[in-house]
Amino acid sequence: MDSYDDRGVGGGSGSAGPGAVRHEDAPFDTGQGAGSGAATEPPRAGVAGLSLPYQIGTAVALSIIGLIACTHLAMVFLHVAPSNTLTKQHGKVVDDWVYPEFEQNWKLFAPNPLQQNVAVHVRADIAGADGRRTTPWMSLSGEDGKAIRGNLLPSHVHQNELRRGWDFYVNSHDAENRPNGLRGELSERYIRRMVMLRLSEHDYGGTIERIQVRSEVRSVGAPPWSTEKISTRPSYRVLPWWTVTSADLPENAEEADQ
């Protein structure tokens, strides 16, 4: 049987006395021997560390910034959203907020997907050694399509130059191909120079004296599972013949502007 001395209860020469055992077995720290100074509270960080007036000023500033941000997001959302009651009643306010700094050229949910395929064609009158002749219609859109098809990194020019240029012309002319302002004259000059730039890449064995441009519009056919009947017959918009001038030639374009 162990003696009291072996268990460290009684006196003896062991290094741990009764007081040390009680201190280790005590479930709570009573704070004895920790010193007389009280524990200091850690400093507060962020807005909580500011004085009351500065806290109020910061809260007001953050509220104003949050209000402006929410207003901006709401205005941009209404600008790109399909037509609805709010945009019909407050469209002027939305436009004044968005334009010109925050203009968005896309619409939410694509409400008006492309339903037509538009191709731009050109033909030319050539004066050569064997007389004067007219070339067949050449599809400029078809040439762009060949350059894009199978190309992992297609040129922005091949994708958008002709399409945007033709849209520019159509939207700035009436049904009789008469310009409705200065933008109409500018769009015609743009089309003429662009066509001559494309034709200069081909050798027709003579001088191009006149050009004529037309568009071919075909409606996109209905999918196989649809019962909708859509005519895919082409319709054409033929522009009058334009006499080629020095301003239409690519190498003289900059000199004509001076």
Side-chain angles (χ1 to χ4, degrees), residues 75-94:
M75 291 295 186
V76 173
F77 175 82
L78 291 175
H79 177 67
V80 301
S83 179
N84 53 70
T85 304
L86 286 177
T87 56
K88 291 179 181 178
Q89 294 181 350
H90 307 290
K92 182 65 168 55
V93 177
V94 174

Side-chain angles (χ1 to χ4, degrees), residues 82-246:
S83 179
N84 53 70
T85 304
L86 286 177
T87 56
K88 291 179 181 178
Q89 294 181 350
H90 307 290
K92 182 65 168 55
V93 177
V94 174
D95 290 343
D96 290 342
W97 180 280
V98 170
Y99 292 106
E101 289 84 2
F102 309 112
E103 180 182 0
Q104 306 290 325
N105 58 359
W106 57 277
K107 290 295 183 181
L108 199 63
F109 310 129
N112 297 312
L114 185 64
Q115 298 179 350
Q116 294 177 328
N117 291 321
V118 182
V120 179
H121 302 161
V122 64
R123 64 179 178 176
D125 268 353
I126 308 296
D130 55 348
R132 188 167 180 168
R133 61 188 176 86
T134 301
T135 66
W137 288 104
M138 180 180 67
S139 176
L140 300 179
S141 300
E143 290 190 342
D144 288 347
K146 292 179 181 178
I148 295 172
R149 193 172 296 111
N151 191 344
L152 296 179
L153 298 173
S155 168
H156 180 76
V157 172
H158 292 148
Q159 295 182 82
N160 297 314
E161 181 186 51
L162 182 62
R163 177 179 60 84
R164 295 296 296 272
W166 184 253
D167 287 343
F168 183 26
Y169 180 88
V170 171
N171 293 329
S172 56
H173 284 72
D174 59 18
E176 301 298 326
N177 297 317
R178 293 174 298 196
N180 51 24
L182 295 178
R183 290 176 58 86
E185 298 176 2
L186 179 63
S187 66
E188 180 179 325
R189 291 173 57 193
Y190 184 80
I191 290 293
R192 291 164 71 115
R193 291 184 181 182
M194 181 170 54
V195 168
M196 290 304 300
L197 181 63
R198 301 291 186 92
L199 292 179
S200 65
E201 300 174 356
H202 302 268
D203 184 11
Y204 291 102
T207 303
I208 301 177
E209 294 187 343
R210 296 193 309 167
I211 57 175
Q212 188 177 31
V213 182
R214 75 176 184 182
S215 66
E216 180 188 83
V217 180
R218 294 177 181 267
S219 298
V220 177
W225 46 263
S226 176
T227 58
E228 185 179 5
K229 302 298 182 181
I230 298 178
S231 174
T232 58
R233 297 182 59 183
S235 62
Y236 297 94
R237 176 173 179 171
V238 183
L239 307 187
W241 282 96
W242 290 330
T243 300
V244 177
T245 64
S246 59

